[in-house]
Amino acid sequence: MTTLLEKDERSQVEEFLKKEMNFLKTWVQKNVSLDAIDYWIKECDPQSRRAEGEGGGGGGVVVIGGGSTLTSGVQGRDQYRNSLTANIYDNMLSGKKKKAPSKQREALGLLEESQLFMELLRDIANELDVTELCYKILINVLMLTQSDRGSLFLVRGSKDVDLHLVSKLFDVRQDVSIEDSIRDEKDVLIIPFGKGIAGAVAQSKKSVKLNDVYLDKRFNKEVDQQTGYRTKSLLCLPILNADDQVLGVAQIINKANDQSFTEKDEEKFRKYLAFAGVGLTNAQLFEMCVTECKQNEMLLSMARGIFVDQMNLDRLVLRIMTDAQGLIQCQRCIFYIVNPTVPAKTKEFLKIFDMHCDKNNVIYRPRPSTVANTLTTSYATRVLQSNTLQVMDVDQDEGSDHRPKTDASGYLVRNLLSVPILNNEEKVIGVVQIINKANGRSFTEMDFNSVQTFTLYCGLCVHNCQMYEEVSALMARQKVHLETLSYHAIETPEETSKLLKSAILKASQYKLYNWDFDDSVYDDFESCKVVVRMFLEMEVVKKFSVDYETLCRWTLSVKKNYRPVTYHNWRHGLNVAQTMFTVLFTGEMNQYISDLMRFALIVACLCHDLDHRGTNNAFQSEVEHPLAMLYCTSTLEHHHFDQCVFLLNSEATAIFQSLNQDEYKIVLNTIENAILATDLALYFKKKGKFSELVAKKETDWKDPAKNELLRSMMMTACDVAAICKPWDIQQKTAHLVASEFFEQGDIERDRLGKEPIALMDRKRKDELPKMQVGFIDAVCLPIYKLLFQINPKMEQMYKGCMSNREHWIQLTDQENKTGGAAATDSAAAGGKQEAAGEADKQRDAGERKKTCCSQS
């Protein structure tokens, strides 16, 4: 029953309030706070509630009649408070301007003046859209001062240069929406500082109050004549920031009921604009951040284009110009590419891209010669001989000549920016030219900064693309050179056919299994038959399906690719290979080496000094030879391996072509390690570990790591094996080695102006027997003794080395007795006669190189 009575009473109250609206108005004014009214409005408007939930505005504690409280989503507001700016930021970036829920201005009319002022301040407090903010400022000021119309002008232009006022909101009324109030870009008013009433206020920072505007000469009556509206009274004030700089000018006209503006009106106007200045500063800063973000996103998109279109400069430039439309904001953009093949003084352009943004971004490609004398090209040319050129107005440019301000097609050039594109060496590689700002005004400092940033990315893009084109051209040229080299590096069909048809003697007739093998008894062609017999003895043709003709052609090609230097030539490669063959089969070291690796080791021995230049690694670094730039350490050894791979990968000499991928990888790895092992610097690093294993009587030499170490020691032993030969062969070899070393020493003294080390000093050749003994003790004897301890069959190399050591000691004693007259033809022996100190020097030189290139 109570419930029914309550419902009846509620109905009666509702009917009473509907009939007595004045009573309701009076009661609400006395007892309800403005926050409560806001809350009720939003509760009745679903869109407002949704906006509040997304934006975090409104809510809080609502006070009614100073007593009871209503909680209106405090938790929800706190939840979204931190995302208010982020939401606005995202909306502006995406181009979606979310319209805030409008206040019920009828409700605002019920408020007292102080409450109204505070509410109108709240209305602009969180507004970060400049246009929306300007509209709200105008509407709120009109309400505060009870004025009919208003206009708001914003300052544009650089500091103290071309300062002017611009207004998209002119002659705005309270009953007109923002959409209908905004003027088109072409209809925007532009007022220079000091001109008219608004310009005078902007310049003086002082207010202007007129009861009859027609009495003031600064007022432009043409506006009234055009609009048909009669302006009577006017109040105009500047909008200042915290630094007392003018941000804009607000102007209101015609107070209600034909009254004049009072001092109180001006005071309210001034107070409100003080807060508006803070809001406008924040909104402009926010707008700048959004603009910067958009520019950064555009520049990042352009940067990504570097990797998409880097293979073609024309396509890259077209992409850049198309992507940069939003950044440039101009009617026309010209992209000049400087010709890199001619001196900069000639001021010649290689390519020109001319995009007309006002014609659906049509891009023209004029020939540089056809536009060489045009106005735009003259400005671009000036950039090549000066710093950044910024021209705001072509007509006022003192450096401009008297050429027509239109091009051949009649295009009028009003203003332009012409900025150089620089590479990493600060050289001009292009010019970006921005012509005629889209809105018809002059370019601003912000435009100039944007174009400068744009040119940085252009420089990166163009330089990267040009480098890519240069590298592509070099690779193409390299390919041609490799084809040419391959043609000349591979032995002729005639020589190959000759070897293919030749009878190959037995191994015993060539003394292949003997420690005293002497290559000097064979001519060059016969020496190739010796190599073929080694491979036949190893049955590589049968075991690895090696084509016999390819094997013959490969052997001849290896010989052909050795240079005719004094010692490190084809004959040295042949001797090292024969020694390895003897070590494997006579020395019975083959028990530790697989068939495939034996094949690879013989190949490595034959190729281990391919294309040797007759000088050592230290010399390559000293003269800064390109080889030293390619390889930090073991310079020549890496080069020898590369030459070996070149022949193995050539179709005509691919002796490993029947191997599967895994086998081929094993072979290449074995060859590489073997050739690098001939660098004595690496030998000294590994010798200690090898000695430890031998001292421990290691027997498991088939372990991969130990087997690689063993193969490296075997390569060094074979490389310096001339020291183990019979004395007559040792003497001849020593003479060749000494001659080559002296040749390098002569070059160092005569061309480089430095004294060579003793081993290469022709003036100290009488000391060579003594140095030979030192070399044998430091390099040769240790390795032969260790191999002898592993396998007694290696005794002959150890004994041969010891025997020759005695001969060199005798020569040394004889030299000491005769005062240096003996053994002038005796020289350093062994394949690699660099002393340990020289090896350390080479290693240190390699470590000093900062940039380590490919280790191949």
Side-chain angles (χ1 to χ4, degrees), residues 33 195 290 319 501 547 595 603 648 759 824:
S33 70
K195 185 177 181 181
V290 172
R319 179 187 179 94
K501 297 176 181 178
D547 180 70
D595 289 345
V603 169
L648 293 177
L759 193 63
T824 56

Side-chain angles (χ1 to χ4, degrees), residues 63 105 156 186 202 231 305 409 436 490 492 631:
V63 181
R105 296 203 170 266
R156 292 289 183 265
K186 60 183 180 179
T231 305
S409 63
N436 295 353
I490 306 302
T492 63
Y631 316 107

Side-chain angles (χ1 to χ4, degrees), residues 503-520:
I504 307 299
L505 301 179
K506 294 182 179 180
S508 58
Q509 293 176 282
Y510 291 128
K511 295 187 176 182
L512 283 182
Y513 291 92
N514 294 12
W515 297 106
D516 58 352
F517 173 81
D518 185 4
D519 71 284
S520 62

Side-chain angles (χ1 to χ4, degrees), residues 305-542:
I306 297 175
F307 305 101
V308 175
D309 293 314
Q310 67 176 351
M311 294 181 291
N312 186 284
L313 180 60
D314 292 6
R315 192 163 60 244
L316 175 65
V317 172
L318 293 176
R319 179 187 179 94
I320 290 174
M321 296 181 74
T322 303
D323 289 348
Q325 298 172 42
L327 178 69
I328 296 172
Q329 296 294 326
C330 65
Q331 295 179 357
R332 186 177 174 190
C333 174
I334 305 180
F335 204 109
Y336 297 87
I337 301 296
V338 176
N339 191 342
T341 61
V342 298
K345 295 182 180 180
T346 61
K347 309 177 188 65
E348 181 179 319
F349 294 111
L350 178 66
K351 297 177 182 179
I352 298 177
F353 302 82
D354 189 354
M355 182 175 73
H356 289 250
C357 305
D358 55 351
K359 295 182 180 179
N360 296 323
N361 299 325
V362 176
I363 297 179
Y364 301 96
R365 297 285 305 278
R367 293 183 179 178
S369 58
T370 62
V371 295
N373 296 319
T374 61
L375 177 69
T376 53
T377 304
S378 69
Y379 278 114
T381 303
R382 285 168 58 183
V383 171
L384 297 180
Q385 56 190 7
S386 65
N387 295 327
T388 299
L389 176 67
Q390 178 180 6
V391 180
M392 292 298 187
D393 194 323
V394 174
D395 293 324
Q396 298 177 6
D397 178 28
E398 297 179 357
S400 176
D401 51 27
H402 298 287
R403 305 184 196 194
K405 300 303 183 286
T406 58
D407 60 13
S409 63
Y411 193 95
L412 176 63
V413 179
R414 295 189 305 272
N415 45 52
L416 59 80
L417 290 176
S418 196
V419 185
I421 302 173
L422 306 176
N423 63 8
N424 60 328
E425 298 176 352
E426 296 297 315
K427 293 182 179 179
V428 180
I429 60 176
V431 176
V432 170
Q433 206 165 74
I434 311 302
I435 302 173
N436 295 353
K437 193 167 181 178
N439 57 15
R441 304 175 199 162
S442 298
F443 291 105
T444 64
E445 185 177 355
M446 182 177 292
D447 296 323
F448 183 59
N449 292 335
S450 297
V451 175
Q452 276 195 314
T453 305
F454 172 61
T455 56
L456 291 177
Y457 279 82
C458 290
L460 177 63
C461 294
V462 173
H463 180 67
N464 186 72
C465 191
Q466 286 181 336
M467 290 295 294
Y468 183 87
E469 289 184 341
E470 289 179 11
V471 171
S472 297
L474 288 174
M475 291 180 65
R477 190 177 295 114
Q478 182 188 39
K479 186 175 181 181
V480 173
H481 289 167
L482 285 175
E483 289 177 352
T484 305
L485 177 63
S486 177
Y487 174 79
H488 292 287
I490 306 302
E491 190 54 271
T492 63
E494 293 76 17
E495 286 295 309
T496 302
S497 178
K498 181 180 177 182
L499 180 59
L500 185 64
K501 297 176 181 178
S502 297
I504 307 299
L505 301 179
K506 294 182 179 180
S508 58
Q509 293 176 282
Y510 291 128
K511 295 187 176 182
L512 283 182
Y513 291 92
N514 294 12
W515 297 106
D516 58 352
F517 173 81
D518 185 4
D519 71 284
S520 62
V521 299
Y522 308 110
D523 60 23
D524 282 350
F525 185 77
E526 195 69 22
S527 67
C528 293
K529 295 166 69 174
V530 174
V531 172
V532 173
R533 171 48 64 187
M534 275 193 287
F535 285 127
L536 293 177
E537 289 294 303
M538 296 169 63
E539 299 182 341
V540 298
V541 174
K542 178 180 178 181

Side-chain angles (χ1 to χ4, degrees), residues 587-841:
E588 296 184 1
M589 296 298 288
N590 60 343
Q591 61 182 301
Y592 308 115
I593 312 297
S594 67
D595 289 345
L596 184 61
M597 287 190 177
R598 294 175 205 165
F599 188 12
L601 282 176
I602 298 299
V603 169
C605 290
L606 288 167
C607 299
H608 83 282
D609 274 329
L610 265 181
D611 197 43
H612 199 288
R613 283 90 194 290
T615 51
N616 62 10
N617 287 331
F619 183 84
Q620 313 308 317
S621 298
E622 186 71 28
V623 299
E624 297 182 352
H625 192 278
L627 284 176
M629 299 179 185
L630 284 174
Y631 316 107
C632 300
T633 58
S634 304
T635 302
L636 287 172
E637 286 75 18
H638 276 109
H639 177 60
H640 303 326
F641 172 68
D642 283 349
Q643 294 299 109
C644 175
V645 173
F646 170 75
L647 289 177
L648 293 177
N649 286 340
S650 299
E651 184 177 357
T653 52
I655 58 176
F656 294 122
Q657 62 183 349
S658 63
L659 302 181
N660 60 43
Q661 185 175 0
D662 291 337
E663 290 174 333
Y664 188 63
K665 287 175 64 176
I666 292 174
V667 165
L668 283 187
N669 185 62
T670 301
I671 293 175
E672 181 178 20
N673 290 334
I675 292 179
L676 294 181
T678 60
D679 181 2
L680 285 182
L682 297 182
Y683 163 72
F684 288 120
K685 287 181 179 180
K686 297 179 179 181
K687 186 179 70 172
K689 178 65 175 177
F690 187 64
S691 299
E692 291 178 6
L693 292 175
V694 174
K696 295 178 181 179
K697 302 187 182 301
E698 178 63 51
T699 58
D700 185 18
W701 293 106
K702 291 188 177 181
D703 174 78
K706 298 171 184 175
N707 191 261
E708 180 183 334
L709 181 60
L710 176 63
R711 295 196 307 270
S712 296
M713 295 298 107
M714 289 168 59
M715 282 297 298
T716 301
C718 295
D719 195 20
V720 297
I723 202 71
C724 305
K725 298 285 185 177
W727 177 243
D728 58 332
I729 299 177
Q730 159 66 176
Q731 278 189 310
K732 289 187 297 183
T733 304
H735 176 77
L736 295 175
V737 174
S739 297
E740 185 174 286
F741 282 174
F742 292 156
E743 289 168 6
Q744 176 177 326
D746 294 342
I747 295 174
E748 291 177 351
R749 177 180 286 113
D750 298 339
R751 298 184 187 178
L752 303 182
K754 57 171 289 188
E755 285 299 313
I757 61 174
L759 193 63
M760 299 182 180
D761 191 352
R762 193 182 297 275
K763 296 178 181 180
R764 302 175 63 180
K765 62 181 180 180
D766 294 334
E767 300 178 21
L768 285 178
K770 182 174 65 175
M771 288 187 285
Q772 280 294 93
V773 175
F775 179 74
I776 292 173
D777 291 343
V779 178
C780 304
L781 274 180
I783 184 62
Y784 295 130
K785 183 176 182 180
L786 291 171
L787 291 175
F788 174 43
Q789 291 175 346
I790 292 176
N791 191 336
K793 295 289 186 179
M794 296 292 295
E795 181 183 14
Q796 184 59 42
M797 296 191 79
Y798 178 66
K799 287 184 176 181
C801 183
M802 288 293 293
S803 175
N804 286 324
R805 181 178 183 276
E806 292 300 321
H807 284 289
W808 288 116
I809 290 176
Q810 292 176 9
L811 287 176
T812 301
D813 295 340
Q814 185 179 353
E815 176 186 341
N816 292 334
K817 292 178 182 179
T818 59
T824 56
D825 288 336
S826 299
K832 294 282 187 180
Q833 300 291 336
E834 295 124 320
E838 175 63 13
D840 290 338
K841 180 181 178 181

